[in-house]
Amino acid sequence: MPAKLSAIDTAKFVAAKRACEFVEDGMRVGLGTGSTAAWLVRCLGELVEDGLKITGVPTSIRTAELARDVGISVTTLDEAKWLDLTIDGADEYDPELNLIKGGGGALLQEKIVATASDRMIVIADRTKQVETLGAFPLPVEVIPFGWQTTKALLEETIAALDVMGDKVTLRMDGNAPYITDEGNHILDLHLGRIGNARQMALVLNQIPGVVENGLFIDICDIVVTGNGNGRVQVKDINNGSSSEDVIEFDEDENLFADLGD
C-alpha cells in the first residue's frame, strides 16, 4: 500500500475528487494537463470502471496516454466539436478566477479546449490562490523562427506595462529548448506582479511570433480548492456562490500517491 499522502497531495486529491461530482454520464470532458489534473484523470478512471460513460478530450499527449491507461474513451476536439465541461489545474488564480496556466507546457491546447467548453472548472491546492497574478512566471508560447527577436519585443513591451519585473527566459529541457506538443518554444515572463492582466493578455498576443499566452481571462467558471486536511472550497464566479465541505476517503485504498509533482 502507498505511504501516507503529504498535505499537498491530499489537497490535490480531494479537489480532484470533488470536481468529479460535476461530471455526468454521457458528457464530453476536456482533460487538463499537469500534476493536479493527473489526479482528476485517475479519479475519473475509477468512475469509468464503475460504469460512468464519458468521452475525454485531452490537452496534451501525456494526458491522452494517462486517460487511455485508466480506461477513459479519448477523442479529439475536432471530433467532439464542443464540450460540456473542462477540468484543469492552474498555476495561479485570483479572486475573479483569472488564471495563469502553462507551467506544464500545454497552455495552447488547454486554452483552446477550455474555450470550447460550456464550463471550465479549475482544481487547485491553496497555494495557487493569490490576490494578484504574477508571482508565478507567465508562460508565452512562441514559434521557434526568430524567437530571440520575439523575446526582445516581449521585453520591450512588458517594460511599459504595470509589472514589477521584466526578465524573460527561454524554457529549457535539459540542455535544449523545451518543445511543446505543437513544436513551439516557451518564453517565461518573470513579472512579479501583473497590475492589469486583461491588458497584458491582449497586448502580448499582438507581438509577431507569439502564438498564445498563459493568462486565462474570463474563462474559468468554478474553482475547487483542496486543503491538506481534506476540506474543499467551491467558488462559482457566475452565481457568486461559495461552499465548503469535507471529502472522506480511505487512504489505504488510495492509488494516486505516485502523482505528485
Side-chain angles (χ1 to χ4, degrees), residues 121-150:
I121 296 176
V122 160
I123 51 177
D125 62 81
R126 179 64 68 189
T127 65
K128 305 302 192 297
Q129 181 177 359
V130 297
E131 285 300 313
T132 304
L133 299 176
F136 189 91
L138 174 63
V140 177
E141 186 160 339
V142 302
I143 65 171
F145 176 80
W147 73 265
Q148 294 191 57
T149 298
T150 305

Side-chain angles (χ1 to χ4, degrees), residues 27-155:
M27 276 188 168
R28 294 161 295 181
V29 182
L31 304 174
T33 295
S35 64
T36 308
W39 292 76
L40 170 85
V41 174
R42 289 287 182 91
C43 289
L44 286 175
E46 285 200 329
L47 295 177
V48 167
E49 187 176 350
D50 291 338
L52 178 70
K53 293 179 175 60
I54 61 171
T55 301
V57 175
T59 55
S60 67
I61 293 171
R62 60 188 180 276
T63 295
E65 292 173 345
L66 177 59
R68 292 189 185 99
D69 286 345
V70 299
I72 298 173
S73 176
V74 170
T75 190
T76 65
L77 183 59
D78 287 334
E79 287 292 328
K81 294 183 172 60
W82 194 260
L83 308 181
D84 299 288
L85 183 65
T86 287
I87 307 177
D88 204 347
D91 299 303
E92 286 185 346
Y93 70 89
D94 70 11
E96 285 73 47
L97 306 194
N98 295 314
L99 320 170
I100 286 182
K101 288 181 52 56
L107 68 98
L108 179 56
Q109 288 192 29
E110 288 173 335
K111 188 174 283 191
I112 292 171
V113 169
T115 54
S117 305
D118 287 339
R119 288 191 298 173
M120 182 193 188
I121 296 176
V122 160
I123 51 177
D125 62 81
R126 179 64 68 189
T127 65
K128 305 302 192 297
Q129 181 177 359
V130 297
E131 285 300 313
T132 304
L133 299 176
F136 189 91
L138 174 63
V140 177
E141 186 160 339
V142 302
I143 65 171
F145 176 80
W147 73 265
Q148 294 191 57
T149 298
T150 305
K151 177 176 179 288
L153 289 170
L154 282 167
E155 290 169 337

